Amino acid sequence: MNLYDIMGPVMVGPSSSHTAGAVRIGLISRKLLGEQVQKAEILFHGSFLATGTGHGTDRAVIAGLLGMAQDDLRIPKSFELARKQGMEWTFGRAYLKDVHPNSVKLRLTGESGRNLEIVASSPGGGRVEICQMDGLSTTFSGDIPVLIVHNEDSPGHVAAAASLLADAGINIASMRLSRDQRNGSAVMVLECDQEIPEETVRMIENMKGIQKAASLAGMD
Amino acid sequence: MGFESMADMEKAAAAGKIPLWKAVMEEDMKERSVSMKETMDKMRERYQAMKQADTDYEENLKSFSGLSGGDGANMQRLVREGEAVSGGFMGMVVTRALKMGESNACMKRIVAAPTAGACGVVPAVFLTYEQFYGIPERTMTEGLFMAAGTGQVIARRASISGAQGGCQAEVGTASAMCAAALTSIRGGSNEQILSAGAFAMKSLLGLVCDPLGGLVEIPCIRRNVTGAVSAVACSDMAMAGILTRVPFDEVIDAMGEIGEMMPGGLKETSQAGLAVTETGKRVALDLAKRNQTPQC
């Protein structure tokens, strides 16, 4: 942990895992969706389900989906704000396999009709981990910049994307590749030490065999 | 990552002929590739956020569960009336620890130090010491480096999570961070700084995490008081020249080991201890009724 993980974060209480982490999961999901959230189905698991309301986990997730960060004083009032924006949401329960007790599954629909399903955990200290995206398992934190590329499950795409990142002077910190056997597509998640320029993302997206590419700025 | 041990921190400080807090700061500058100004500014912002949180306390606020709120103000009245046996300084430490813990429970903005559950310990002592002794903010900020560096070593060697190590890992860590840092601010030697930290950690070894209804309220808020008051006493002992027999690093390792041996029911699961007393069970039941999550 770095020095400011210990002396921090600055956050709205009461719990770094159940409140700050939940806001962060909402915020990362909102960014991954790439547009305003119209509908959200929020399914809590484990300890999030058992003690979430008392910790404001429900309000925290909604706050994140509205684009708020963990220190936003409007977090306790997120339901009212979401209602004003016309967001619809439901809460429920989920039994998720092999995840941390503090986990949640989000099914989101954006204003243009775009869909995204996320499974994420909040193991403590406000840190989070995105475990699944649209049914494909992954792992990244959102702390440092990340590039997410959906591609055809065929040779050469990882090398091509990595080479474009190298050209832009970007160092890869970690990478994870997973594939969906059903439709022959794969997703690569590359955590990087530097912010990824929009231009590089577009170049990767325009390569043959790439379905879509998106980047997320680091949040630390 | 910070230092692997307090001994390593001491070595780095000795090698550079600098105080411990500065060794911590330089390690952070190296690790995150930032300038001294950047990290100094960031730490000062954290300190100012603590002050803001203290100022923003609202006496009439109640937590969602209805279990907490208003006690910081009650304590402050006792101190103002001159009725606190613990005196003006300690009375205000108690007051501020309560206020911060309550603000956290009421979803106000706080600084996790090292966690939200233990957020009252460091500011209670720091703000009160600055106020009573007229210490420049710069010196207090340097002290925060000492506190954070200590927490970093504890996180690395043991744990700062109640779910992993019980309350000793949260309030125990906060108290040790605070005792070491206060002693640093007071100009104690490295040996005195480490002794203060060791005393504070030793005093809270074995403390379990058994909150009512799984909420960061009872007994967490009062335990912030315990951690803060003990940190002041431990710093005083060290400044009096009383030194620890067991080195701080060994105390930290003992805390980690105790945390591993601690039954799961006493590590933030609310399955034992205070959480399952008659009152604890009643609170949990009331909460379940108020839980608005459908079909849960």
Side-chain angles (χ1 to χ4, degrees), chain B residues 23-222:
Chain B
V24 171
M25 186 184 75
E26 288 186 356
E27 188 65 17
D28 177 58
M29 287 159 57
K30 237 190 305 176
E31 189 186 321
R32 298 188 302 120
S33 330
V34 294
S35 68
M36 184 191 286
K37 185 178 182 315
E38 276 175 278
T39 190
M40 208 32 122
D41 285 352
K42 187 162 182 172
M43 196 59 91
R44 187 169 52 241
E45 277 168 28
R46 293 284 148 106
Y47 191 50
Q48 284 165 349
M50 286 179 180
K51 284 187 177 170
Q52 195 63 47
D54 179 63
T55 312
D56 288 348
Y57 173 75
E58 285 177 71
E59 168 171 7
N60 298 319
L61 221 52
K62 281 271 178 207
S63 64
F64 177 79
S65 67
L67 292 170
S68 25
D71 289 338
N74 288 333
M75 184 66 203
Q76 189 158 15
R77 273 188 285 276
L78 186 87
V79 177
R80 285 221 173 112
E81 287 156 10
E83 295 290 328
V85 172
S86 52
F89 181 87
M90 208 59 119
M92 279 315 293
V93 168
V94 175
T95 298
R96 287 200 165 99
L98 289 171
K99 281 183 174 180
M100 199 64 80
E102 288 178 322
S103 289
N104 181 54
C106 296
M107 293 189 86
K108 299 207 59 153
R109 184 157 54 202
I110 54 89
V111 182
T115 61
C119 69
V121 176
V122 172
V125 173
F126 269 57
L127 301 190
T128 308
Y129 190 71
E130 185 192 337
Q131 178 198 1
F132 274 66
Y133 291 87
I135 310 293
E137 191 177 74
R138 163 103 190 177
T139 310
M140 300 308 298
T141 305
E142 291 169 1
L144 273 194
F145 278 99
M146 185 65 228
T150 305
Q152 231 177 346
V153 172
I154 298 174
R156 200 161 164 180
R157 293 182 80 89
S159 169
I160 59 162
S161 142
Q164 265 180 328
C167 193
Q168 55 164 5
E170 295 209 24
V171 168
T173 298
S175 187
M177 286 163 58
C178 186
L182 178 61
T183 310
S184 166
I185 293 166
R186 297 167 77 182
S189 67
N190 291 356
E191 208 182 2
Q192 286 172 315
I193 293 169
L194 267 57
S195 284
F199 290 151
M201 185 88 262
K202 276 191 270 185
S203 306
L204 293 173
L205 284 183
L207 194 64
V208 301
C209 177
D210 54 352
L212 270 58
L215 303 178
V216 193
E217 300 190 45
I218 303 171
C220 323
I221 297 171
R222 310 283 184 265

Side-chain angles (χ1 to χ4, degrees), chain A residues 4 7-8 11 14 53 55 71, chain B residues 39 46 104 109-110 112 214 291:
Chain A
Y4 296 94
M7 201 53 72
M11 55 167 275
T53 302
H55 282 125
D71 64 343
Chain B
T39 190
R46 293 284 148 106
N104 181 54
R109 184 157 54 202
I110 54 89
N291 199 318

Side-chain angles (χ1 to χ4, degrees), chain A residues 45-115:
Chain A
H45 165 91
S47 175
F48 266 10
L49 181 66
T51 67
T53 302
H55 282 125
T57 309
D58 44 8
R59 279 165 281 177
V61 171
I62 296 291
L65 290 177
L66 290 172
M68 291 183 214
Q70 62 201 6
D71 64 343
D72 199 307
L73 287 168
R74 298 170 301 166
I75 292 168
K77 300 207 181 313
S78 68
F79 288 173
E80 290 91 314
L81 292 166
R83 239 174 254 129
K84 264 187 210 152
Q85 282 196 18
M87 189 201 285
E88 298 165 41
W89 71 90
T90 56
F91 292 114
R93 64 198 300 175
Y95 295 104
L96 305 171
K97 268 170 73 182
D98 303 323
V99 294
H100 190 276
N102 303 331
S103 292
V104 61
K105 182 185 239 182
L106 303 172
R107 290 203 186 103
L108 307 177
T109 307
E111 55 187 354
S112 79
R114 224 181 133 185
N115 291 308

